[in-house]
Amino acid sequence: MPEVKAAAKVRPVDAAWAFALRAGLAVAIPLVVLVAAGHPAWAGVATFGAFTALYARDEPYPRRARVLTAAATGLIAGVFAGTAAALAPQPEPFGTAAVAVVGGAATLLCGRFRVGPPGGLMFAFATAVTSAMPATPTDLWRHPLLCAGSALLAWLIAMTGALIDRDAPMRLAVARALRAAAALSTAPAGTAGLLARQQAAAAIERAWRAVPPDRPAEALLIARAETELSGVHGHRPEAAAALRSLADQVARRGPAPVPETEQAETDEVLGRRIYALLLREPGPRRPGPVWPAAARVALGALAAGAAAGVLAHVTGLGHPYWAALSAVAVLQADSLRLTLHKSIQRAAGTTIGLFLAGAAVALPGDHWTLVAAIAIAQVCAELLVVRNYGLAMLAITPLALLVGELGKPTPAADLIGDRLVQTLLGCALGLIAAALVRNRAAARHLDEAIDEVTTATTALRRDRSDATGEARRLALLLLTLREAYGVASGEPGLDPGVTEQVLTAERAGRQVLAGRRDGPSGLSGSTA
C-alpha cells in the first residue's frame, strides 16, 4: 500500500544531536532538583515546562526567543487548564473537554504563526496528564509555577548557543538549502518531482530568512541554490556535487566558501540574489485555512475522550485521556493524507514501543531510575522524530508512561494494556475526524494562489515602474502557492490537472524574478 510505504519512509537528518541533548538537559535538570528535594510528583509537572525546548529547534536566535516565549506561555496555560479540570467534580469529562479546547486553540495558533513541530501536541499533552493527576486547590497556582520555572530553564538552555556560536542556525539553513537544491539532480521531471522542488524552495526561503544583510558570501551561496532551483542550466550531476561540497564547507565554523564561477554566471547569480533578498523581510502573508485543522483536533479529542470514557465505565479500562491525546497527535498534520500517515506511525510505533515501555516501567530502582530513563528517552525521541514519527514513538511511548509514573504510580501491566487500547482508539477516531471535517477551503485557496501568481507574474513582466514592490509581492505569492499546494494535495478530490497548473505558475514566476537582473535602482551595486 503506497500510504503505508510513505508512512514508513525514513528521512535523512543533520545537526540532530545538538537539539536532542538540549532537550534532554532541559528535562533532566528540573527532575534532578525536585526529586532530590523530595517532591517527585512535582517533577512530573515540571517536565511540561521543559517541553519549551522542543520548539524552534533550528530557528535563528531572535525568532527562536519569540517562539520559545510563546511556547512557554502556552504550556503554563495548558498545565493550569489541566489542574483546574482535575479539581472538577468529574475530572475525566472536564479533562477531555480541556484537552479538546487547548489542543484546538494551540493547533490554530501554531498554524496561524507557522510555529512548526511539535505544534499543538505538547500543550494538549500537558493538559491531559495534569487533568489526570491528583490535585488540591493549592496546585492551581503551584503547578503553573513549577511549569514556569522549568520553562525558563529550558528557554535559557535553548538560547545559550547564541553565546557560543550565534551563526550556527544561519550556516545550517544555508547548507540545507544547498543540499536541497543539489537533490534536484536526481528528482524526476514533471509533476513527479514537484515535491523535491517544493522542498528545495522551502529550504531556500528559510535560508534567506536566516542570513542577515551584512553576509554577502552566504547570500551568494543561497543565490547559487536559487539558480539550481530555476533549472536554467539543467540539473547536472557535477553541479549537484559542487553544491554538496559547498554545503559541507559552509556547515563548518569559519569564513563561508566562495564558489568559483565564470563572469556570466556571477552576473546571473547576483541578479537572482537581488530579488531573492526580498524574501528576507517579506512582511505579512495571507495564511491558508487553519480553522479546519483546529476543528479536526477539537472534534477528534472530544470523540476519542468520550468513547474512552464509555469504554472505561464498561470495562474498567483506565487512562481515557490517552485516547484524546492520541487523536490530537495524529491530527497535527496539514491534510487527511498526512493524518493517515501519522495514524499508521503512531499505532505501529506505540505497539512496538510498549515492549520497551514495559521494561522501563518494570525497572528495579527508585525515582532516580525513572529520572535517568526519562532523560534518555527524551534524547532518543528527539533524535528519531526528525527521521520518522513512528520510530520516535519507540521512545515517546516509554517517556509518556514514565512521566505519568512520577506523578501517579500505576502497575506496569495496567499501564501497557490501557496505553495500547486507548492509543488505537484515539488514532482511529482522529482519522475519522479528519475524514469528516473536510478542508474544502484548501482547494479554493490553491486556485486563488495560482491566479494571483499568474496575475503578478504578468504584471511584473510588463511593468518596470515599481520593480521592487511587484517583485516582493510575487515572491510572497510564490511562498503562499507552495504552502497552499502542500495542504490541498493531501486532501481527497483534488483535480489532477491542478498540479501541472502549479508547476507552470511557479516556473513562470521564478523565471521572471530571476530574469530581471537590472534590479531596483542602485540595488545591484549595493549587493555585489
Side-chain angles (χ1 to χ4, degrees):
M1 182 178 179
E3 300 303 337
V4 175
K5 184 177 179 180
K9 184 178 180 180
V10 178
R11 297 179 293 271
V13 298
D14 53 14
W17 273 102
F19 178 79
L21 292 175
R22 287 203 310 260
L25 190 62
V27 168
I29 291 177
L31 291 183
V32 169
V33 171
L34 291 171
V35 169
H39 298 291
W42 295 3
V45 175
T47 302
F48 302 119
F51 291 155
T52 299
L54 304 184
Y55 289 85
R57 59 184 301 153
D58 297 323
E59 294 285 352
Y61 286 105
R63 172 169 166 78
R64 185 182 300 184
R66 296 192 295 270
V67 173
L68 292 175
T69 301
T73 303
L75 288 165
I76 294 167
V79 167
F80 178 84
T83 306
L87 293 172
Q90 294 181 318
E92 288 186 0
F94 277 92
T96 296
V99 170
V101 171
V102 171
T107 301
L108 177 67
L109 292 173
C110 288
R112 174 64 181 82
F113 294 102
R114 298 177 172 87
V115 169
L121 175 59
M122 306 318 295
F123 308 104
F125 185 24
T127 305
V129 177
T130 50
S131 71
M133 295 174 106
T136 66
T138 304
D139 292 326
L140 200 57
W141 62 264
R142 179 190 291 146
H143 284 177
L145 190 61
L146 288 167
C147 182
S150 59
L152 176 60
L153 176 64
W155 192 98
L156 294 172
I157 291 172
M159 293 297 296
T160 301
L163 303 176
I164 303 170
D165 186 3
R166 191 175 185 85
D167 292 337
M170 176 196 69
R171 294 199 310 273
L172 181 60
V174 175
R176 285 174 173 170
L178 291 167
R179 291 191 183 105
L184 297 175
S185 66
T186 57
T191 58
L194 182 58
L195 177 60
R197 289 187 285 277
Q198 298 285 11
Q199 291 173 339
I204 290 169
E205 184 247 335
R206 286 192 293 269
W208 280 119
R209 299 285 193 91
V211 174
D214 59 348
R215 303 299 291 258
E218 286 83 359
L220 185 58
L221 291 171
I222 309 174
R224 289 294 303 275
E226 283 274 5
T227 300
E228 187 68 19
L229 176 62
S230 70
V232 293
H233 302 306
H235 300 301
R236 298 169 296 174
E238 56 271 23
L243 288 172
R244 292 190 183 96
S245 177
L246 290 172
D248 293 338
Q249 295 175 60
V250 77
R252 297 190 291 265
R253 296 184 70 169
V258 179
E260 295 181 3
T261 57
E262 298 178 359
Q263 185 60 46
E265 186 179 4
T266 301
D267 291 343
E268 182 180 12
V269 168
L270 288 175
R272 294 178 187 283
R273 178 190 167 201
I274 288 171
Y275 287 98
L277 282 169
L278 298 170
L279 297 179
R280 182 176 288 116
E281 295 294 340
R285 268 189 279 160
R286 181 166 60 89
V290 294
W291 280 103
R296 284 171 170 173
V297 168
L299 175 62
L302 281 174
V310 172
L311 191 64
H313 180 72
V314 173
T315 66
L317 198 69
H319 302 86
Y321 70 88
W322 278 340
L325 188 59
S326 290
V328 173
V330 301
L331 290 167
Q332 296 300 304
D334 292 331
S335 64
L336 177 60
R337 177 179 293 123
L338 293 180
T339 297
L340 174 58
H341 293 173
K342 279 211 163 187
S343 297
I344 296 171
Q345 291 166 343
R346 188 173 180 90
T350 297
T351 302
I352 300 172
L354 282 173
F355 291 100
L356 299 175
V361 173
L363 280 174
D366 51 15
H367 288 115
W368 291 112
T369 304
L370 286 178
V371 169
I374 288 171
I376 293 171
Q378 182 67 70
V379 172
C380 292
E382 298 313 313
L383 286 173
L384 294 172
V385 72
V386 290
R387 291 172 169 83
N388 182 280
Y389 181 64
L391 288 178
M393 289 306 301
L394 300 179
I396 293 173
T397 301
L399 174 64
L401 297 183
L402 293 171
V403 169
E405 279 292 281
L406 280 174
K408 186 180 178 182
T410 307
D414 293 345
L415 281 175
I416 293 172
D418 293 353
R419 179 75 177 188
L420 178 60
V421 175
Q422 303 291 18
T423 295
L424 295 178
L425 178 64
C427 288
L429 290 175
L431 190 57
I432 292 172
L436 290 177
V437 183
R438 293 281 302 277
N439 191 352
R440 293 180 174 84
R444 183 174 65 252
H445 182 61
L446 177 58
D447 289 339
E448 293 171 354
I450 294 172
D451 291 341
E452 289 175 345
V453 166
T454 302
T455 301
T457 300
T458 303
L460 185 58
R461 184 181 289 123
R462 291 177 178 175
D463 184 13
R464 294 171 177 258
S465 61
D466 184 19
T468 303
E470 289 297 327
R472 181 186 297 275
R473 181 170 180 271
L474 179 55
L476 295 175
L477 290 173
L478 284 170
L479 298 180
T480 300
L481 175 62
R482 173 173 53 78
E483 293 175 350
Y485 180 79
V487 176
S489 62
E491 294 293 328
L494 183 68
D495 186 349
V498 171
T499 299
E500 187 61 38
Q501 294 178 34
V502 172
L503 275 171
T504 302
E506 184 178 33
R507 186 183 304 115
R510 286 193 168 278
Q511 287 176 350
V512 169
L513 287 178
R516 296 178 65 90
R517 295 196 296 273
D518 53 309
S521 177
L523 186 54
S524 296
S526 66
T527 58

